[in-house]
Amino acid sequence: MHDQTLFRPWGIVDPGFWADAEAEQTATPPVAAEAAAATVSGEVAGQLAAIQAAASVDLVRANVLAEELDAKTTTAHGEGHIETIRVREVRAYLALLTGHHETAVAWYLHVVRLHAGLHGPEHTETVLAVRRAYSMWKALPAPDAVRLAESLMEAFAELKGVGAEAAARMREHLQQLRRTHDGQLAATASDSQQPAPSTANVARSM
């Protein structure tokens, strides 16, 4: 139950989180397994461990288990309870692992709003949820990142502080993605405009 990977979806992000991509790749954010375990019952923690184990071999099965646990915790506590939110954080992470990026974005935003509603927009849990949503978005393939950016920035705009910071970071990264995309298009267009060798030249080279 104290396996650090169990609580990977809500690991604590260190102060260097907003650093550039190179720094992010070398950083190893600590994971708060003890703190996360303290926020859920032993029964739910055990079920989360089962989901984690299933995810390593069968993501479809892991998603089924997570959906069942979500229904159970929601029935018992409602949406605005920390156990329900933890389960939905796992569902967000599983959506990302299965490559359903639009679904993952929707789940991560849902979790941000749940934390904001339960704790308030400036609470540590909400701040971390925003940062995880940003981190998830930045890891998406460029076409998906560009396509899904608007919904994230709109949600972040509802929050102050870290939400505004995340939106600003997203705008910066979007500009970089678009510059790279425009450069690639320009290079492709330039290559396509190169004159083809004449038939005579080809014949002489044979």
Side-chain angles (χ1 to χ4, degrees):
M1 190 170 69
H2 296 295
D3 181 358
Q4 287 190 339
T5 59
L6 171 60
F7 299 107
R8 184 175 175 185
W10 54 88
I12 289 178
V13 182
D14 67 14
F17 181 88
W18 298 114
D20 60 20
E22 289 76 16
E24 286 174 4
Q25 289 170 0
T26 59
T28 307
V31 179
E34 296 287 342
T39 65
V40 298
S41 67
E43 180 183 359
V44 171
Q47 289 173 294
L48 288 172
I51 293 169
Q52 176 74 24
S56 65
V57 294
D58 187 348
L59 284 172
V60 173
R61 176 62 178 160
N63 274 290
V64 169
L65 292 175
E67 185 176 353
E68 291 173 350
L69 183 56
D70 188 355
K72 182 177 179 180
T73 55
T74 302
T75 299
H77 307 297
E79 280 194 336
H81 188 277
I82 190 61
E83 288 195 349
T84 304
I85 298 172
R86 292 301 189 214
V87 175
R88 292 186 181 184
E89 285 174 325
V90 171
R91 295 193 70 181
Y93 189 59
L94 290 173
L96 181 63
L97 290 181
T98 53
H100 298 145
H101 297 155
E102 191 161 357
T103 301
V105 167
W107 273 115
Y108 273 96
L109 287 182
H110 175 64
V111 166
V112 167
R113 291 187 171 107
L114 288 179
H115 275 303
L118 179 61
H119 305 293
E122 301 298 328
H123 192 276
T124 300
E125 289 279 10
T126 308
V127 169
L128 292 176
V130 169
R131 289 180 174 180
R132 285 189 292 272
Y134 166 83
S135 179
M136 174 275 308
W137 171 79
K138 195 172 180 183
L140 295 179
D144 285 352
V146 172
R147 179 172 58 87
L148 299 171
E150 194 63 34
S151 59
L152 274 165
M153 288 193 290
E154 286 178 3
F156 291 159
E158 299 170 9
L159 304 171
K160 298 178 181 179
V162 74
E165 185 175 7
R169 298 277 177 175
M170 286 185 68
R171 281 191 290 271
E172 275 181 29
H173 191 60
L174 271 175
Q175 289 175 355
Q176 293 174 2
L177 291 177
R178 285 167 176 155
R179 282 197 295 269
T180 300
H181 178 67
D182 290 345
Q184 291 171 343
L185 285 179
T188 301
S190 176
D191 290 343
S192 66
Q193 291 171 3
Q194 293 294 326
S198 68
T199 304
N201 289 339
V202 173
R204 282 198 296 270
S205 66
M206 293 177 64

